[in-house]
Structure formats: structure tokens, C-alpha cells
Amino acid sequence: MLVERFYPDEYLDSTYCIDFDKLAQEGYRGVLFDIDNTLVPHGAPADARALRLFEHLRKIGMDYCVISNNQLPRVKPFADAIQGKYIEDAHKPSTRNYRKAMEMMGCTPRNALFVGDQLFTDVWGAKRAGMHTILVKPIHPKEEIQIVLKRYLERIVLYFYEKDRKTK
């Protein structure tokens, strides 16, 4: 079915419920993150919860990079706060900057994974780059209009995703 190309490998309630210790044990060495509505509400700075997450990733030896379609004034301060690598104006779902982020971390599609809140940009680009993908539910309902419109289409894909998962 056509919608299957957009299916994430995992679909979770939040970035903050991902078992990164388990993923590290499974051999993952790098994580690419979207920022807005994945780590913090749209436009928000890194909060205490995000700072704790990245401190934990450093402690367990996992590298990370934020990859965002936002511009430098949004992305760099966030990346600086979490002491992370970053790519701004990433043109997701183009695969070029997913590959660049993996290269920056010394990772390959085999040992890197992606965490984001949008199917048609975040997940689709990461899947096409050959990475393990984790879709998370958006943190906050307030979103830009172009994202609101995409959410309607995402609901259709996620309906089939959930239906297919129940039959397997």
C-alpha cells in the first residue's frame, strides 16, 4: 500500500519515554532530533527536561545532532544549550542533511536513528536515508498553518499504520 512508505519504525507518546539505554545496548551510537514539538513546544528554548535528556545521552556515550528546517537564529541557540551538533535549514525530507548529520557524528544508517513529530518531513526523509525512525506525538497543539494541514493527512496514514500493526 502507498501509505506504508510513511510508516515510522516506532510510534511513541513522547521523546522522553524512549529507552535510549536499550537503544545504546542495541548498537545505536547517534540520534538525530527534530526540535519543535519533538523536544520542546514550537519556538521554546531548551527546558530542564531536554537538558537532562542530552546530559544522559552524553553519559551513555550517544552522540546527537538536531536537524531542523528552521533557520539559524532558532536552531543554534537550542543546539548550544544542549551542547549539540546542528543542521539548520535542512530541507527535510531531502536526505542530504540526514546523511550530513550522520557523517558529523561518525555514524551510518545502521547505528543512527531519527526522532521527530512529523511523518511527511521528519520520518519520510529519515526512512529514505535508511535510518531507524521514531515518530513521537507533538508536544503542543499550537502549530503553524502548513503543519496543521499536514496533520490531517498524517491522521490518515497513522490510521492505516495502527490498523496494520494490529493485524501483524
Side-chain angles (χ1 to χ4, degrees):
M1 192 176 346
L2 183 65
V3 294
E4 289 174 348
R5 75 177 61 200
F6 298 107
Y7 287 1
D9 295 306
E10 298 180 59
Y11 182 33
L12 302 173
D13 285 337
S14 166
T15 298
Y16 300 99
C17 70
I18 297 170
D19 188 344
F20 288 104
D21 293 322
K22 180 175 178 260
L23 291 166
Q25 289 168 358
E26 291 173 1
Y28 288 100
R29 295 292 167 253
V31 188
L32 283 70
F33 288 96
D34 177 52
I35 299 173
D36 289 320
N37 263 341
T38 297
L39 293 165
V40 293
H42 189 82
D47 58 17
R49 184 168 67 160
L51 295 174
R52 281 192 307 272
L53 169 67
F54 291 103
E55 182 181 328
H56 181 72
L57 291 176
R58 287 190 302 275
K59 192 173 92 181
I60 64 172
M62 285 187 88
D63 203 352
Y64 51 90
C65 180
V66 291
I67 173 172
S68 175
N69 284 347
N70 265 309
Q71 302 303 309
L72 191 65
R74 166 67 178 133
V75 180
K76 186 179 183 335
F78 190 93
D80 288 349
I82 63 165
Q83 300 172 40
K85 298 169 179 66
Y86 65 92
I87 297 175
E88 84 281 356
D89 195 21
H91 298 284
K92 295 180 291 183
S94 168
T95 60
R96 183 172 61 90
N97 283 310
Y98 291 89
R99 288 193 295 270
K100 179 180 176 185
M102 285 186 277
E103 192 176 297
M104 289 165 68
M105 295 186 298
C107 291
T108 67
R110 227 184 197 108
N111 65 6
L113 63 113
F114 181 86
V115 180
D117 70 300
Q118 292 187 56
L119 280 176
F120 301 125
T121 51
D122 296 335
V123 170
W124 192 43
K127 281 182 69 98
R128 289 176 34 244
M131 304 173 68
H132 182 81
T133 59
I134 300 175
L135 176 69
V136 295
K137 293 178 180 168
I139 288 175
H140 195 274
K142 182 184 171 287
E143 297 183 298
E144 296 169 342
I145 187 65
Q146 70 272 18
I147 296 171
V148 171
L149 298 173
K150 284 190 273 185
R151 294 287 185 207
Y152 289 109
L153 296 173
E154 284 184 355
R155 273 190 229 130
I156 295 166
V157 174
L158 290 171
Y159 167 80
F160 287 106
Y161 170 77
E162 295 290 350
K163 188 176 166 191
D164 288 351
R165 281 190 23 190
K166 286 182 177 117
T167 59
K168 289 182 181 173

